Amino acid sequence: MPAKITHYEIHDVRFPTSLSGDGTDAMNTECDYSSAYVSLFADNGLVGHGMTFTIGRGNEIVCQAMAELSKRLIGKDPESLFSSMGAAWDYMCADPQLRWIGPEKGVVHIAAGAVNNALWDMFARSRNKPLWKLVVDMTPEELVSATAFRYITDALTKEEALAMLKAKEATKAAREAHVREVGYPAYVTSAGWLGYSDEKVARLTKEAVAAGFNHFKMKVGADAASDLRRGQIIRSIIDDPQYLPPGSKGRDPNSPALLGKNAGPTGAVLMIDANQVWDVPQAIEYVKSLEPIKPWFIEEPTAPDDILGHAAVRKALKPYGIGVATGEHAHNRMVFKQLLQAEAIDVCQIDSCRLAGVSEVLSVLLMAAKFGIPVCPHAGGVGLCEYVIHLSLIDYIAVSGTMERNVLEFVDHLHEHFLYPCSINSNGRYNVPSNPAEGYSIEMHKNSIAEYEWPNGSYWISAKGGSK
């Protein structure tokens, strides 16, 4: 008898990060990092966990949408779904009445991301492999079958994707061995939140340099003079050799990996992120005013679905040596398709669960590789770092074949709540997830759920009593 998916569990988990200012930016001033968390169960003992990320209120709405999408998988044979994850993705997203309230955007789409990720987690666990290893071990044909292609074949056909993957197949093992040895390049955002004092920004920046990081990101957009001051504080530290780790001479700013990134004398790179706060003309003038701090790129300068707006900002800032990045709020593969077709971005920033799970992420990785745009995933929030190291490894080993110019965001928040937390080595790079039991690395400790589930977890009960 084939196995069947029998039931699901959903949890609304919220962490009180607004108390410390973590996550604050020009658009989002009070953030309680939250997880809409789902577990799928099969009658053969298989379990898969997935989540999507919000910043507090509204998490309960996402949880309701996740329940409706999870119902579509009840009674299905996991192995039948695993045999073509692209077809499984199409089926999961195809309920016409649920699709009507998307379609392929908003609450329904990010809920689909959580459920699809849970199915991928179950798939990886069934094969006793971390998610990235499951995918890179696929044949090119299997990987294409696992990918969502609807609406993007004018930019990338299945035949083109297959040819790209076959061209990289023979050298996958060498890249896997290399990244296991050195780790995957990371950048740090933890020092640059808008809610932090200058003293905290300086302290955290020094700590990040000492930890081996050489790419740093700060939030901008509330006040230009303050942004310039904070940026100069960060630059004064990351460009000063005295703060480098003992024995380090920094990195060559003229090396291929740093070329065009406005790297300083120690090889340090600064990026800035406006979180969509500006109109297009305002974005252009504001970022010009920050030219003295030499940013590599401005992230989310305007509305995330304004493809032509991003193209205009990129064209205007090009003479200043400042690029454009976006993607954490690009809600589907079609937006990325158009950003790439319109030459609107220098850096593609996928989000692991705003896109509707691994199957849709694969389509964006493949398109970015075709267009020659580096993928530097978004990973601020809860659980996102655990997720995206898998996606960057898939990109490097099986899809693009390069990590020379890529950097993956790292935020040092809330990793302790996961059974298989991500980690960073002494050179500021992600370690490769290697536990065969961890799947997609997103399983949360049961006691963390019990403490922070909204509204009746022990923390929130205590907070209601006045101790928050």
Side-chain angles (χ1 to χ4, degrees), residues 69-115:
L69 287 161
S70 297
K71 288 175 185 176
R72 285 185 67 76
L73 302 180
I74 300 301
K76 297 297 179 184
D77 173 12
E79 287 298 330
S80 176
L81 296 171
F82 300 159
S83 67
S84 177
M85 288 293 279
W89 188 90
D90 286 337
Y91 172 78
M92 186 192 69
C93 295
D95 182 309
Q97 296 189 358
L98 292 178
R99 190 179 185 281
W100 183 265
I101 58 174
E104 297 202 51
K105 63 179 73 71
V107 169
V108 168
H109 205 59
I110 63 173
V115 178

Side-chain angles (χ1 to χ4, degrees), residues 114-274:
V115 178
N116 184 249
N117 286 340
L119 189 61
W120 274 99
D121 181 60
M122 181 184 283
F123 187 6
R125 287 164 178 260
S126 75
R127 302 304 191 259
N128 210 33
K129 294 180 179 182
L131 184 279
W132 70 267
K133 181 63 172 166
L134 171 80
V135 177
V136 304
D137 283 351
M138 289 179 172
T139 65
E141 290 82 4
E142 288 170 334
L143 205 155
V144 167
S145 177
T147 301
F149 273 94
R150 191 176 193 182
Y151 302 138
I152 67 166
T153 54
D154 55 322
L156 178 75
T157 66
K158 290 184 178 181
E159 293 73 22
E160 287 176 309
L162 189 61
M164 288 167 53
L165 293 167
K166 284 185 173 180
K168 296 291 190 293
E169 189 175 19
T171 50
K172 284 195 301 186
R175 285 190 295 278
E176 180 178 331
H178 178 63
V179 74
R180 283 183 184 274
E181 179 184 353
V182 303
Y184 195 91
Y187 74 85
V188 65
T189 301
S190 300
W193 302 117
L194 277 182
Y196 290 174
S197 67
D198 289 356
E199 292 74 21
K200 187 171 184 178
V201 168
R203 174 177 60 80
L204 292 175
T205 302
K206 290 174 184 176
E207 290 175 0
V209 174
F213 290 97
N214 83 314
H215 284 64
F216 308 83
K217 190 170 80 178
M218 61 174 277
K219 301 292 185 174
V220 300
D223 176 80
S226 173
D227 292 341
L228 191 58
R229 184 189 72 253
R230 290 165 55 249
Q232 287 168 336
I233 291 170
I234 293 173
R235 267 290 178 201
S236 71
I237 295 166
I238 66 177
D239 289 346
D240 191 335
Q242 72 169 306
Y243 297 111
L244 292 171
S248 173
K249 296 180 180 178
R251 305 183 192 185
D252 178 6
N254 298 310
S255 67
L258 296 176
L259 209 59
K261 289 186 175 182
N262 285 328
T266 64
V269 177
L270 179 62
M271 302 96 87
I272 56 176
D273 181 0

Side-chain angles (χ1 to χ4, degrees), residues 383-433:
L384 303 190
C385 294
E386 278 68 29
Y387 265 153
V388 292
I389 179 55
H390 292 267
L391 304 177
S392 286
L393 290 169
I394 293 166
D395 179 53
Y396 170 54
I397 297 169
V399 182
S400 71
T402 180
M403 61 176 175
E404 191 172 56
R405 297 184 58 73
N406 304 52
V407 279
L408 170 54
E409 185 170 19
F410 177 72
V411 177
D412 195 12
H413 299 151
L414 307 171
H415 305 296
E416 67 274 14
H417 298 291
F418 295 90
L419 269 68
Y420 306 101
C422 66
S423 61
I424 297 289
N425 68 23
S426 60
N427 293 316
R429 299 166 80 100
Y430 274 85
N431 291 309
V432 173

Side-chain angles (χ1 to χ4, degrees), residues 10-23:
I10 288 173
H11 300 279
D12 178 346
V13 185
R14 308 187 192 186
F15 299 97
T17 52
S18 59
L19 297 179
S20 59
D22 296 347

Side-chain angles (χ1 to χ4, degrees), residues 52-54 62 66 105-114 353-355:
T52 196
F53 167 65
T54 79
V62 182
M66 283 161 42
K105 63 179 73 71
V107 169
V108 168
H109 205 59
I110 63 173
C353 48
R354 186 169 295 278
L355 290 172

